[in-house]
Amino acid sequence: MAGIKDVAARAGVSMATASRALTGHPSVSDAARAAVRAAADELGYRANGVARSLRTRRTRILGLVVPDVLNPFFTELARAVEEEARALGYSVIIGNADDRPEQLDHQLRSLLERRTDGLLVAPADDPSAELLRRTARSGTPLVFVDRWIAGAPGVPVVRADGRAAVRALVRHLHRLGRRRIAVITGPAATATGRERLDAFRGALGELGLPPRPELIGHGDFRAESGRRETARLLSLPRHSRPDAVFAADNLMALGALDAIRAAGLRVPAGIALAAFDDIPWFAHLDPPLTAIAQPTAELGRAAVRALADRIEGRPAASVTLDARLVARASCGEPGGARGGGTGRLGNVRRCDDGAERRERESGS
Amino acid sequence: MAGIKDVAARAGVSMATASRALTGHPSVSDAARAAVRAAADELGYRANGVARSLRTRRTRILGLVVPDVLNPFFTELARAVEEEARALGYSVIIGNADDRPEQLDHQLRSLLERRTDGLLVAPADDPSAELLRRTARSGTPLVFVDRWIAGAPGVPVVRADGRAAVRALVRHLHRLGRRRIAVITGPAATATGRERLDAFRGALGELGLPPRPELIGHGDFRAESGRRETARLLSLPRHSRPDAVFAADNLMALGALDAIRAAGLRVPAGIALAAFDDIPWFAHLDPPLTAIAQPTAELGRAAVRALADRIEGRPAASVTLDARLVARASCGEPGGARGGGTGRLGNVRRCDDGAERRERESGS
DNA sequence: CTGAAAGCGCTTACAG
DNA sequence: CTGAAAGCGCTTACAG
């Protein structure tokens, strides 16, 4: 493959001039620039990014570590991240932690070794997140997205605050007559898992509903845990069985649907179901599923912008957006037993929330 | 950040010995190896992969270019690719072509510049796929996955042959009394789009059903085209309106569902619907959707293995797997008007097809 | 088993 | 505006 030396030779200039012409350096004569460009075209020259990176100490690659690429939320997030990164001139390497702490470390090490210019991470707060904390302290440009961990001061966090939406959801269920509302939580090790559970409990309290430990299912953001915990909830003695289930993410909601169907129950007649994280398919489930929607793509874009700020030496800001409730038929009423899916794709929203909120605090 | 020079100094050996100790070269004394390892640990040394790549001319990065990352088929494919790649010691950069030829070129250029060791591409056969063809000829290790293009001889193709499954689907519809079967195709520029349409037409012919041009909707594998074409089909004069729609991918099926719902029709009573590409949510749609399932993860793994073969100088083989029909309720009967979703997650399969087939032909 | 030295392909002060 | 030269951080023949 032709190198810059070949291009320079063909254009009859030095490597230095060839390099300047190709990288758009201003002080190159028009004649030289034209000759170099022509030579490069003729040779089909493509700069060796590895050599360039070694010299410039920048790879223009961003690392993104997500807990589970198959989770539609993270898929959409990754897509938005890639798009915004591309717009800013970066490529993205996605690392899938597969919800395993050692995988997170593996991905982190791999990304660090590749000298990505910066890292976007949605971590679980595991004691073994030591490497992540060290990375944060080491000065590697780092931004947390969706989730964050303690012990990493100065790292901007880009996330959606789901508390108001969870509160709206619980009130929605209450208004529709549900009183024994169960929740299937995410891992206590995740910031989002804790936040959703806290908001849920708080909302219950506000409505004067007693806390019922047996109605809390401990899931892990994966479908199987949703199925398992829902099955358990449905096998409770009749008087303590829930009349509604709130799954703290979309995959657990899928599992919950499985369990509900296996038990021969109907939604919402037999039991209400709602999920955190909205996806296009929810409008077409049987019945259309009530869910809390995050501004996922905007989260991804904001995270990339914050990271680029960090990398390029500008002050980076944390960003908090709001999630919102999309009420469909799975808890009763909205849209009726049928329906709930009219109009434009994925746009069947009845929002119970306020406007989007952004809070910008200067990062360090 | 500590470099190998620092490690060598601390261990009291030369850079050469330090390098050998760290990369596991056999001819290093145990004492030196231990000293180097200790020094590396103490300094928190992490090799600079950029420098290593420049020297070894290998990046251990694979490029994967998919037409649309948001399409669950490609998401699952990408996940399997990343997993298998990691097992073989590679990272993966995913490029999203976003179904735009110029984006494909952009991603290709970016990946080539980064000197990825090899490329996995699911291309659209556009005239402008010239860069891709040139890349194939240039000797860059390349494997096509899912889709392929003409004019790239010697490039292994890893894909599923959907023809038998499409045929099984058409017979399934026919057995259930459907006679005016419409199809919403993918772009004629894609190998998969053409194959599915050809198989569909062939199957119609075998059953003695006349071809009806007005029942062919030209889609682009995106949801909106499925909606639009289905709306058009449903607005045909009553006597030529279809009694079944086959969407050639899952996103167009989503759009079709939208249009059907907007028209106030029920599935399958008002119209039957089936899709190419199965996803977990299909079992929970209203009604559960009959679909053709590809062995997506296996496709991804096989593609990576073929590419690794190429990269590492072994002969690479094309691989063809079979897709299979998963009959649920959306065309009538199986599982009844309700149901169709029992048992394990995404495993509600009634297969009308034979065993998996693999065809290995030695690549060049 | 070990070390000195070359070199991977670029970019960029430095001097002119 | 241009060129000669150094250097990014490694690995690896080569010689010992």
Side-chain angles (χ1 to χ4, degrees):
Chain A
M1 192 171 270
I4 198 170
K5 196 189 299 192
D6 306 301
V7 174
R10 185 172 190 116
V13 299
S14 69
M15 279 174 59
T17 298
S19 173
R20 290 194 190 96
L22 260 9
T23 54
H25 190 102
S27 53
V28 179
S29 70
D30 289 351
R33 193 180 304 279
V36 170
R37 284 202 179 137
D41 274 0
E42 287 158 22
L43 295 173
Y45 171 73
R46 199 171 310 283
N48 183 325
V50 174
R52 171 179 293 164
S53 290
L54 179 60
R55 181 58 226 244
T56 61
R57 322 191 62 141
R58 307 233 359 214
T59 54
R60 299 212 70 95
I61 300 180
L62 264 30
L64 167 66
V65 184
V66 296
D68 177 12
V69 275
L70 286 192
N71 184 319
F73 170 75
F74 289 110
T75 304
E76 194 182 342
L77 184 77
R79 191 268 182 106
V81 163
E82 198 276 335
E83 253 178 29
E84 186 72 11
R86 175 155 35 84
L88 300 181
Y90 293 90
S91 295
V92 177
I93 299 186
I94 301 171
N96 182 19
D98 213 20
D99 285 321
R100 300 203 303 268
E102 73 281 7
Q103 265 306 317
L104 169 62
D105 279 17
H106 169 90
Q107 298 289 0
L108 233 37
R109 263 189 291 269
S110 164
L111 261 10
L112 253 18
E113 189 153 309
R114 295 191 187 296
R115 298 297 194 267
T116 51
D117 288 344
L119 255 25
L120 245 30
V121 183
D125 189 7
D126 198 272
S128 69
E130 213 26 67
L131 176 58
L132 183 56
R133 264 181 280 264
R134 264 212 314 279
T135 303
R137 284 196 300 269
S138 79
T140 306
L142 177 63
V143 169
F144 290 134
V145 58
D146 180 56
R147 309 177 180 179
W148 66 96
I149 61 171
V155 176
V157 179
V158 176
R159 67 182 192 102
D161 184 337
R163 285 173 296 195
V166 169
R167 188 164 166 274
L169 171 62
V170 172
R171 300 185 87 90
H172 172 72
L173 285 162
H174 187 264
R175 189 175 57 74
L176 293 168
R178 310 293 168 158
R179 291 298 179 270
R180 295 192 308 280
I181 307 175
V183 62
I184 303 175
T185 68
T190 59
T192 45
R194 287 192 303 273
E195 176 178 286
R196 291 167 199 175
L197 178 58
D198 287 352
F200 175 81
R201 281 177 163 146
L204 243 41
E206 284 176 17
L207 293 167
L209 294 175
R212 301 184 188 274
E214 74 277 19
L215 294 189
I216 295 182
H218 297 280
D220 61 6
F221 284 151
R222 305 206 146 194
E224 170 52 25
S225 72
R227 197 205 52 70
R228 180 193 70 223
E229 290 303 310
T230 304
R232 182 185 66 74
L233 289 165
L234 296 180
S235 70
L236 287 173
R238 170 164 276 294
H239 67 278
S240 58
R241 202 176 299 162
D243 55 14
V245 171
F246 166 43
D249 93 334
N250 65 62
L251 292 180
M252 296 193 301
L254 174 61
L257 270 174
D258 266 314
I260 290 168
R261 187 158 299 192
L265 281 174
R266 297 297 318 274
V267 175
I271 191 162
L273 180 65
F276 205 104
D277 287 339
D278 192 26
I279 60 175
W281 302 104
F282 278 0
H284 296 286
L285 294 187
D286 173 24
L289 210 66
T290 291
I292 291 171
Q294 300 198 57
T296 315
E298 181 52 33
L299 242 27
R301 288 190 292 266
V304 169
R305 286 191 298 262
L307 185 56
D309 284 344
R310 273 242 124 128
I311 292 172
E312 294 160 19
R314 295 183 294 270
S318 285
V319 177
T320 305
L321 304 176
D322 273 348
R324 71 187 194 288
L325 178 64
V326 181
R328 299 199 182 92
S330 67
C331 303
E333 205 177 296
R338 300 236 48 75
T342 74
R344 309 219 330 281
L345 238 42
N347 243 346
V348 202
R349 340 223 98 138
R350 280 159 195 257
C351 307
D352 292 1
D353 59 302
E356 258 189 10
R357 171 170 58 99
R358 291 185 191 216
E359 152 195 323
R360 293 186 74 87
E361 42 184 74
S362 72
S364 89
Chain B
M1 191 171 272
I4 196 169
K5 196 188 299 192
D6 307 299
V7 174
R10 185 173 189 112
V13 299
S14 70
M15 279 176 58
T17 297
S19 172
R20 290 194 190 97
L22 259 11
T23 55
H25 189 103
S27 51
V28 179
S29 68
D30 289 349
R33 194 181 304 279
V36 170
R37 284 201 180 138
D41 275 0
E42 287 158 23
L43 295 172
Y45 171 73
R46 201 173 306 285
N48 183 325
V50 175
R52 170 179 292 165
S53 290
L54 180 60
R55 180 58 228 242
T56 61
R57 322 191 62 140
R58 306 228 8 210
T59 53
R60 298 214 69 96
I61 300 180
L62 266 27
L64 167 66
V65 185
V66 296
D68 178 12
V69 275
L70 286 192
N71 184 318
F73 170 76
F74 289 110
T75 305
E76 194 182 342
L77 185 77
R79 191 268 182 109
V81 163
E82 198 274 336
E83 253 179 27
E84 185 73 12
R86 175 156 35 85
L88 299 180
Y90 292 90
S91 294
V92 178
I93 298 185
I94 301 171
N96 182 20
D98 214 20
D99 285 321
R100 300 202 304 267
E102 73 280 9
Q103 266 305 318
L104 170 61
D105 279 17
H106 170 89
Q107 298 289 0
L108 234 37
R109 262 189 292 269
S110 165
L111 261 8
L112 254 18
E113 189 154 308
R114 295 192 187 296
R115 298 297 194 266
T116 52
D117 289 344
L119 254 26
L120 247 28
V121 184
D125 189 8
D126 198 272
S128 68
E130 211 27 67
L131 175 58
L132 183 56
R133 265 181 280 266
R134 264 213 313 279
T135 304
R137 285 195 299 270
S138 78
T140 306
L142 178 63
V143 167
F144 290 135
V145 59
D146 180 55
R147 308 178 180 179
W148 65 96
I149 62 169
V155 176
V157 179
V158 175
R159 67 183 192 101
D161 184 339
R163 285 175 295 194
V166 169
R167 189 164 165 273
L169 170 62
V170 173
R171 301 184 86 90
H172 173 72
L173 286 162
H174 186 264
R175 189 175 58 72
L176 293 167
R178 310 292 167 158
R179 291 298 180 271
R180 296 191 308 281
I181 307 174
V183 63
I184 302 175
T185 69
T190 58
T192 45
R194 286 192 304 272
E195 177 179 285
R196 290 166 199 176
L197 179 57
D198 288 352
F200 175 81
R201 282 176 163 147
L204 245 39
E206 283 176 17
L207 293 169
L209 295 175
R212 300 184 189 274
E214 75 275 18
L215 294 190
I216 296 182
H218 296 281
D220 60 7
F221 284 149
R222 306 207 146 193
E224 169 52 26
S225 71
R227 198 206 50 71
R228 180 193 71 222
E229 290 303 310
T230 303
R232 182 186 65 73
L233 289 165
L234 296 180
S235 71
L236 287 172
R238 169 164 277 293
H239 66 281
S240 57
R241 202 176 299 162
D243 54 15
V245 172
F246 167 43
D249 93 334
N250 66 63
L251 292 179
M252 297 194 299
L254 175 61
L257 271 175
D258 267 315
I260 290 168
R261 187 158 297 194
L265 281 174
R266 299 293 321 270
V267 175
I271 193 162
L273 179 65
F276 206 103
D277 287 339
D278 192 26
I279 60 175
W281 303 104
F282 278 180
H284 296 285
L285 294 187
D286 174 23
L289 210 65
T290 291
I292 291 171
Q294 299 198 57
T296 314
E298 180 52 32
L299 243 26
R301 288 189 293 263
V304 170
R305 286 192 298 261
L307 184 55
D309 285 343
R310 273 241 126 126
I311 292 171
E312 293 160 18
R314 295 183 295 271
S318 285
V319 176
T320 306
L321 304 176
D322 274 346
R324 71 187 194 288
L325 178 63
V326 181
R328 298 196 183 94
S330 68
C331 303
E333 203 176 302
R338 298 235 48 75
T342 73
R344 309 221 326 281
L345 238 43
N347 242 345
V348 203
R349 337 224 100 138
R350 282 160 193 257
C351 307
D352 293 359
D353 58 301
E356 258 191 7
R357 172 169 57 98
R358 290 184 191 216
E359 154 195 320
R360 292 186 74 87
E361 40 185 75
S362 70
S364 87

